[in-house]
Amino acid sequence: MRLRGTALITAVASVVLAGTAVAAPRPAAQGWSVADLTRLPGNETLSDLAVTGRTSAWAVGGSWQGAEDSALVYRWNGGTWNRVALPSQVDEELSEVDASSDKDVWAFGRRGSADPALKAFRWNGAAWQASVVEQGDVTLYDADVVSPSDVWLAASGSSGAQPLRHWNGRTWTAVSAPGRVYSLHVTSAKSGWAVGVDDEGRPQALRWDGTAWRPTTLPRLPIPEGGNATLDSVLALSPANVWAVGATSRLVGDDEEFTPIVLHWNGTAWRTVTTPAYAFGLSNLAADGSGGLWMQGGVDTLVRYSGGTWSTAPRPTVPQSDGVFGPMANVPGTGGMLGVGWVRPWGAPEDDASDGAFYKAG
């Protein structure tokens, strides 16, 4: 699995349960900035990253120039991001990456041609190895690498009601679980969590016990009439310290209104955690390296929860540009954070409009 700061955290202090008064959110003290851009010919985006150590991380994405598209892989050495040369078999835009070490890095991409398939590419420290996870039009939501012989994917596609895929060191298999899974965090061969929606479209959290994924009981969530709710991200810091976030939503006229959902597992039960009156959903949970959490709020806000206090920071960007902030992760042993996404300068030509962005904080 990607290092999410779990080794540094034993608990997130002062959990605020539903019904408790919450102070107004404050600006986050730990500011984010754009550290670098890909600056390649054409359009590039970075979609995911995995931090494997204090001076090592991996990022993946894609590049398009005219009718040609290609995979992007970058590696961070503790100071700079450098592009990784790829063999011809790594031939798809990459959407997810995770790793148990620098000798066990997995990247995933979907082949969207007349013969679609979900493909996996593994770096073993010396070479890239390719495998087909599943033929057909498969959508990948998340990936988690526990070890070279224990890899989990949350996906939907040709396997129908089976929302998970598992690698046992030899083959990929579809794994049954209720509903649809959008995020998972597997901490060992016998322990893990997954969140999404159940078969009725209601939020759900599943627990892996080494043999099956089993639903857990959630507190009652105030889903608005005619609205929807989902859990989009899960982070397990310890067996008694698991977090899940998402949102309820409903249409009001032509606008969609969001209310965040934050849940905490204390080892026995899930409890609702009260947030300030944010008008956005929450996603992309990450440990902050000092006992708290970072998460994404909507598309333009980063949210931090630390010591029982909520704070926000604006999405980092460069002057006169739009952009997207994607996944983020803590650099273990520090309070530093890394993130990826892309930026698009105003007025840029269509054939060279966006650059992949590397973000940092701390």
Side-chain angles (χ1 to χ4, degrees), residues 175-186:
V175 178
S176 297
R180 176 168 291 181
V181 172
Y182 296 130
S183 174
L184 47 80
H185 191 182
V186 184

mmCIF file with all atom_site columns, all heavy atoms in Angstrom, residues 175-186:
data_model
loop_
_atom_site.group_PDB
_atom_site.id
_atom_site.type_symbol
_atom_site.label_atom_id
_atom_site.label_alt_id
_atom_site.label_comp_id
_atom_site.label_asym_id
_atom_site.label_entity_id
_atom_site.label_seq_id
_atom_site.pdbx_PDB_ins_code
_atom_site.Cartn_x
_atom_site.Cartn_y
_atom_site.Cartn_z
_atom_site.occupancy
_atom_site.B_iso_or_equiv
_atom_site.pdbx_formal_charge
_atom_site.auth_seq_id
_atom_site.auth_comp_id
_atom_site.auth_asym_id
_atom_site.auth_atom_id
_atom_site.pdbx_PDB_model_num
ATOM 1  N N   . VAL A 1 175 ? -13.758 -10.297 -7.227  1.00 0.00 ? 175 VAL A N   1
ATOM 2  C CA  . VAL A 1 175 ? -14.141 -10.619 -5.852  1.00 0.00 ? 175 VAL A CA  1
ATOM 3  C C   . VAL A 1 175 ? -15.504 -10.006 -5.561  1.00 0.00 ? 175 VAL A C   1
ATOM 4  O O   . VAL A 1 175 ? -15.743 -8.828  -5.823  1.00 0.00 ? 175 VAL A O   1
ATOM 5  C CB  . VAL A 1 175 ? -13.100 -10.091 -4.851  1.00 0.00 ? 175 VAL A CB  1
ATOM 6  C CG1 . VAL A 1 175 ? -13.525 -10.395 -3.416  1.00 0.00 ? 175 VAL A CG1 1
ATOM 7  C CG2 . VAL A 1 175 ? -11.735 -10.692 -5.142  1.00 0.00 ? 175 VAL A CG2 1
ATOM 8  N N   . SER A 1 176 ? -16.391 -10.801 -5.004  1.00 0.00 ? 176 SER A N   1
ATOM 9  C CA  . SER A 1 176 ? -17.741 -10.340 -4.709  1.00 0.00 ? 176 SER A CA  1
ATOM 10 C C   . SER A 1 176 ? -17.775 -9.437  -3.482  1.00 0.00 ? 176 SER A C   1
ATOM 11 O O   . SER A 1 176 ? -17.046 -9.645  -2.507  1.00 0.00 ? 176 SER A O   1
ATOM 12 C CB  . SER A 1 176 ? -18.666 -11.538 -4.462  1.00 0.00 ? 176 SER A CB  1
ATOM 13 O OG  . SER A 1 176 ? -18.787 -12.338 -5.617  1.00 0.00 ? 176 SER A OG  1
ATOM 14 N N   . ALA A 1 177 ? -18.609 -8.428  -3.562  1.00 0.00 ? 177 ALA A N   1
ATOM 15 C CA  . ALA A 1 177 ? -18.895 -7.534  -2.439  1.00 0.00 ? 177 ALA A CA  1
ATOM 16 C C   . ALA A 1 177 ? -20.173 -6.800  -2.802  1.00 0.00 ? 177 ALA A C   1
ATOM 17 O O   . ALA A 1 177 ? -20.471 -6.598  -3.989  1.00 0.00 ? 177 ALA A O   1
ATOM 18 C CB  . ALA A 1 177 ? -17.764 -6.549  -2.199  1.00 0.00 ? 177 ALA A CB  1
ATOM 19 N N   . PRO A 1 178 ? -20.963 -6.405  -1.823  1.00 0.00 ? 178 PRO A N   1
ATOM 20 C CA  . PRO A 1 178 ? -22.208 -5.699  -2.144  1.00 0.00 ? 178 PRO A CA  1
ATOM 21 C C   . PRO A 1 178 ? -21.946 -4.304  -2.691  1.00 0.00 ? 178 PRO A C   1
ATOM 22 O O   . PRO A 1 178 ? -20.962 -3.640  -2.336  1.00 0.00 ? 178 PRO A O   1
ATOM 23 C CB  . PRO A 1 178 ? -22.931 -5.641  -0.801  1.00 0.00 ? 178 PRO A CB  1
ATOM 24 C CG  . PRO A 1 178 ? -21.861 -5.788  0.227   1.00 0.00 ? 178 PRO A CG  1
ATOM 25 C CD  . PRO A 1 178 ? -20.816 -6.660  -0.388  1.00 0.00 ? 178 PRO A CD  1
ATOM 26 N N   . GLY A 1 179 ? -22.838 -3.861  -3.582  1.00 0.00 ? 179 GLY A N   1
ATOM 27 C CA  . GLY A 1 179 ? -22.814 -2.482  -4.036  1.00 0.00 ? 179 GLY A CA  1
ATOM 28 C C   . GLY A 1 179 ? -21.640 -2.155  -4.931  1.00 0.00 ? 179 GLY A C   1
ATOM 29 O O   . GLY A 1 179 ? -21.107 -2.993  -5.658  1.00 0.00 ? 179 GLY A O   1
ATOM 30 N N   . ARG A 1 180 ? -21.223 -0.890  -4.877  1.00 0.00 ? 180 ARG A N   1
ATOM 31 C CA  . ARG A 1 180 ? -20.111 -0.383  -5.669  1.00 0.00 ? 180 ARG A CA  1
ATOM 32 C C   . ARG A 1 180 ? -19.086 0.247   -4.726  1.00 0.00 ? 180 ARG A C   1
ATOM 33 O O   . ARG A 1 180 ? -19.448 0.983   -3.805  1.00 0.00 ? 180 ARG A O   1
ATOM 34 C CB  . ARG A 1 180 ? -20.595 0.641   -6.691  1.00 0.00 ? 180 ARG A CB  1
ATOM 35 C CG  . ARG A 1 180 ? -19.494 1.298   -7.498  1.00 0.00 ? 180 ARG A CG  1
ATOM 36 C CD  . ARG A 1 180 ? -20.032 2.064   -8.680  1.00 0.00 ? 180 ARG A CD  1
ATOM 37 N NE  . ARG A 1 180 ? -20.583 1.146   -9.685  1.00 0.00 ? 180 ARG A NE  1
ATOM 38 C CZ  . ARG A 1 180 ? -21.109 1.540   -10.833 1.00 0.00 ? 180 ARG A CZ  1
ATOM 39 N NH1 . ARG A 1 180 ? -21.175 2.825   -11.122 1.00 0.00 ? 180 ARG A NH1 1
ATOM 40 N NH2 . ARG A 1 180 ? -21.569 0.657   -11.686 1.00 0.00 ? 180 ARG A NH2 1
ATOM 41 N N   . VAL A 1 181 ? -17.814 -0.021  -4.985  1.00 0.00 ? 181 VAL A N   1
ATOM 42 C CA  . VAL A 1 181 ? -16.723 0.474   -4.144  1.00 0.00 ? 181 VAL A CA  1
ATOM 43 C C   . VAL A 1 181 ? -15.988 1.585   -4.882  1.00 0.00 ? 181 VAL A C   1
ATOM 44 O O   . VAL A 1 181 ? -15.576 1.405   -6.028  1.00 0.00 ? 181 VAL A O   1
ATOM 45 C CB  . VAL A 1 181 ? -15.756 -0.661  -3.774  1.00 0.00 ? 181 VAL A CB  1
ATOM 46 C CG1 . VAL A 1 181 ? -14.526 -0.106  -3.058  1.00 0.00 ? 181 VAL A CG1 1
ATOM 47 C CG2 . VAL A 1 181 ? -16.462 -1.696  -2.901  1.00 0.00 ? 181 VAL A CG2 1
ATOM 48 N N   . TYR A 1 182 ? -15.808 2.733   -4.209  1.00 0.00 ? 182 TYR A N   1
ATOM 49 C CA  . TYR A 1 182 ? -15.082 3.856   -4.789  1.00 0.00 ? 182 TYR A CA  1
ATOM 50 C C   . TYR A 1 182 ? -13.693 4.049   -4.196  1.00 0.00 ? 182 TYR A C   1
ATOM 51 O O   . TYR A 1 182 ? -12.836 4.681   -4.807  1.00 0.00 ? 182 TYR A O   1
ATOM 52 C CB  . TYR A 1 182 ? -15.886 5.145   -4.609  1.00 0.00 ? 182 TYR A CB  1
ATOM 53 C CG  . TYR A 1 182 ? -17.201 5.150   -5.338  1.00 0.00 ? 182 TYR A CG  1
ATOM 54 C CD1 . TYR A 1 182 ? -18.378 5.491   -4.685  1.00 0.00 ? 182 TYR A CD1 1
ATOM 55 C CD2 . TYR A 1 182 ? -17.277 4.812   -6.684  1.00 0.00 ? 182 TYR A CD2 1
ATOM 56 C CE1 . TYR A 1 182 ? -19.592 5.501   -5.357  1.00 0.00 ? 182 TYR A CE1 1
ATOM 57 C CE2 . TYR A 1 182 ? -18.484 4.813   -7.358  1.00 0.00 ? 182 TYR A CE2 1
ATOM 58 C CZ  . TYR A 1 182 ? -19.638 5.161   -6.690  1.00 0.00 ? 182 TYR A CZ  1
ATOM 59 O OH  . TYR A 1 182 ? -20.840 5.153   -7.361  1.00 0.00 ? 182 TYR A OH  1
ATOM 60 N N   . SER A 1 183 ? -13.473 3.551   -2.994  1.00 0.00 ? 183 SER A N   1
ATOM 61 C CA  . SER A 1 183 ? -12.181 3.743   -2.328  1.00 0.00 ? 183 SER A CA  1
ATOM 62 C C   . SER A 1 183 ? -11.929 2.572   -1.397  1.00 0.00 ? 183 SER A C   1
ATOM 63 O O   . SER A 1 183 ? -12.871 2.046   -0.779  1.00 0.00 ? 183 SER A O   1
ATOM 64 C CB  . SER A 1 183 ? -12.184 5.056   -1.534  1.00 0.00 ? 183 SER A CB  1
ATOM 65 O OG  . SER A 1 183 ? -10.996 5.215   -0.769  1.00 0.00 ? 183 SER A OG  1
ATOM 66 N N   . LEU A 1 184 ? -10.672 2.152   -1.301  1.00 0.00 ? 184 LEU A N   1
ATOM 67 C CA  . LEU A 1 184 ? -10.334 1.078   -0.363  1.00 0.00 ? 184 LEU A CA  1
ATOM 68 C C   . LEU A 1 184 ? -8.967  1.342   0.250   1.00 0.00 ? 184 LEU A C   1
ATOM 69 O O   . LEU A 1 184 ? -8.126  2.031   -0.324  1.00 0.00 ? 184 LEU A O   1
ATOM 70 C CB  . LEU A 1 184 ? -10.391 -0.291  -1.040  1.00 0.00 ? 184 LEU A CB  1
ATOM 71 C CG  . LEU A 1 184 ? -9.724  -0.526  -2.392  1.00 0.00 ? 184 LEU A CG  1
ATOM 72 C CD1 . LEU A 1 184 ? -8.240  -0.759  -2.265  1.00 0.00 ? 184 LEU A CD1 1
ATOM 73 C CD2 . LEU A 1 184 ? -10.360 -1.725  -3.087  1.00 0.00 ? 184 LEU A CD2 1
ATOM 74 N N   . HIS A 1 185 ? -8.786  0.787   1.425   1.00 0.00 ? 185 HIS A N   1
ATOM 75 C CA  . HIS A 1 185 ? -7.504  0.871   2.137   1.00 0.00 ? 185 HIS A CA  1
ATOM 76 C C   . HIS A 1 185 ? -7.310  -0.445  2.868   1.00 0.00 ? 185 HIS A C   1
ATOM 77 O O   . HIS A 1 185 ? -7.942  -0.694  3.896   1.00 0.00 ? 185 HIS A O   1
ATOM 78 C CB  . HIS A 1 185 ? -7.483  2.039   3.113   1.00 0.00 ? 185 HIS A CB  1
ATOM 79 C CG  . HIS A 1 185 ? -6.120  2.315   3.669   1.00 0.00 ? 185 HIS A CG  1
ATOM 80 N ND1 . HIS A 1 185 ? -5.869  3.302   4.597   1.00 0.00 ? 185 HIS A ND1 1
ATOM 81 C CD2 . HIS A 1 185 ? -4.904  1.739   3.426   1.00 0.00 ? 185 HIS A CD2 1
ATOM 82 C CE1 . HIS A 1 185 ? -4.587  3.316   4.894   1.00 0.00 ? 185 HIS A CE1 1
ATOM 83 N NE2 . HIS A 1 185 ? -3.985  2.370   4.208   1.00 0.00 ? 185 HIS A NE2 1
ATOM 84 N N   . VAL A 1 186 ? -6.456  -1.292  2.301   1.00 0.00 ? 186 VAL A N   1
ATOM 85 C CA  . VAL A 1 186 ? -6.175  -2.611  2.858   1.00 0.00 ? 186 VAL A CA  1
ATOM 86 C C   . VAL A 1 186 ? -4.842  -2.526  3.580   1.00 0.00 ? 186 VAL A C   1
ATOM 87 O O   . VAL A 1 186 ? -3.816  -2.188  2.982   1.00 0.00 ? 186 VAL A O   1
ATOM 88 C CB  . VAL A 1 186 ? -6.133  -3.683  1.757   1.00 0.00 ? 186 VAL A CB  1
ATOM 89 C CG1 . VAL A 1 186 ? -5.926  -5.064  2.378   1.00 0.00 ? 186 VAL A CG1 1
ATOM 90 C CG2 . VAL A 1 186 ? -7.428  -3.654  0.942   1.00 0.00 ? 186 VAL A CG2 1
#
